[in-house]
Amino acid sequence: MIIAPRPAMDHRRLRERLARHRGEAEPATPACADFDSEPEVDWHARIGHLRQLIQARRRRLGGSEMGTSQAMTASAPGVGEQAGVYVTADGGRALDPISLGSSVEEGVRLVDERLEVSESLPAPAGDPGGQVLCFDTETTGLRGGAGLWVWMVGVLIWRDGHWRLRQWWLERPGAERRYLELLLEDFTGDAATLVSFNGKSYDLPHLATRLGLNGMANPLPDLDHIDLLHSVRRRYGKQWPDCRLRTTEERLLDLHRSDDLPGSEAPRSWREYLTMGRWQGIAQVLAHNRQDLLSLARLMPLLGVEQG
């Protein structure tokens, strides 16, 4: 015997039958109970409203209809212009704490600054036969692998009797290969000697990964490399609680950073720029990276590091 399934009972009819069985008055059916009569949602109107909210947010953050990167390029001041005050796309005024650099090519930006030798930024000890290059990277995390991006690389180059600060950063992930090509041009100067702080264990391996993923040769392991972390550990490893760069700055340079963006915040700064066009975090990372490089140059003579 085949038993046919009972058809599903309408909820409204079920309530009516229960009310009659109990001798109660028939309950009033609210309008929302009739699911067939629910008003149709105007999704086009909702999407249009969301677009208006996004455009308004971009204008508040200094963006515009022509795109965030173009808006920043148009509004970024030159060196010394208006004491760092820039005009946003909607006519507002805000303080730009540090230049974001110029657009070298689409998706790649560069901060380029010449620094003269001074008491606070000495020349390298010895007689460098070629260029000395201090470098420091900013990445999207601490763990390695293909998912980690090296999105900013700062280099402080000693050449022809002066220091030159250059900070490359990736404005668009799709431009990574060209970004790496331009960066390697700085690294592979005549008789270059690399100087870093933990670069042998952290910065260079991550750069090697990104070069490999882009099918590019890696010339960096063939260059002379002085890792100042090793020098600090040999001299002070048994005396200090740790040998971090921050600790080294405080004990050897009497440098105590204030309002400095922790390196752990760099990944979020880049993500907020890519997703929302917020440049404030990028500016802070540039300032943090710049100070790291200046500290490397100042630590070299104090640690007895000579090139020649």
Side-chain angles (χ1 to χ4, degrees), residues 271-298:
R271 286 195 299 268
E272 289 182 350
Y273 177 82
L274 295 178
T275 57
M276 295 183 290
R278 294 187 61 183
W279 55 262
Q280 290 86 346
I282 299 290
Q284 290 180 293
V285 177
L286 284 167
H288 170 86
N289 182 266
R290 184 181 192 273
Q291 184 57 63
D292 285 353
L293 295 170
L294 296 179
S295 292
L296 293 181
R298 295 177 62 191

Side-chain angles (χ1 to χ4, degrees), residues 115-123 156 158 163 293-295 297-298:
L115 304 174
E116 299 297 337
V117 174
S118 64
E119 183 178 349
S120 60
L121 186 62
L156 183 62
W158 173 261
W163 291 103
L293 295 170
L294 296 179
S295 292
R298 295 177 62 191

Side-chain angles (χ1 to χ4, degrees), residues 254-283:
D254 194 25
L255 172 63
H256 301 269
R257 302 197 193 192
S258 60
D259 300 328
D260 182 52
L261 182 75
S264 58
E265 293 295 314
R268 184 174 66 177
S269 298
W270 194 47
R271 286 195 299 268
E272 289 182 350
Y273 177 82
L274 295 178
T275 57
M276 295 183 290
R278 294 187 61 183
W279 55 262
Q280 290 86 346
I282 299 290

Side-chain angles (χ1 to χ4, degrees), residues 106-173:
E106 185 179 358
V108 182
R109 295 182 76 88
L110 170 66
V111 175
D112 196 345
E113 180 182 0
R114 175 171 170 155
L115 304 174
E116 299 297 337
V117 174
S118 64
E119 183 178 349
S120 60
L121 186 62
D127 183 18
Q131 74 176 30
V132 176
L133 185 143
C134 303
F135 74 97
D136 183 57
T137 67
E138 306 297 339
T139 66
T140 56
L142 297 177
R143 296 182 179 180
L148 184 142
W149 290 75
V150 183
W151 66 273
M152 181 184 293
V153 181
V155 295
L156 183 62
I157 306 172
W158 173 261
R159 183 189 295 153
D160 301 329
H162 68 269
W163 291 103
R164 187 177 181 186
L165 174 70
R166 289 162 69 82
Q167 293 171 286
W168 298 92
W169 64 278
L170 187 60
E171 190 177 27
R172 183 172 57 82

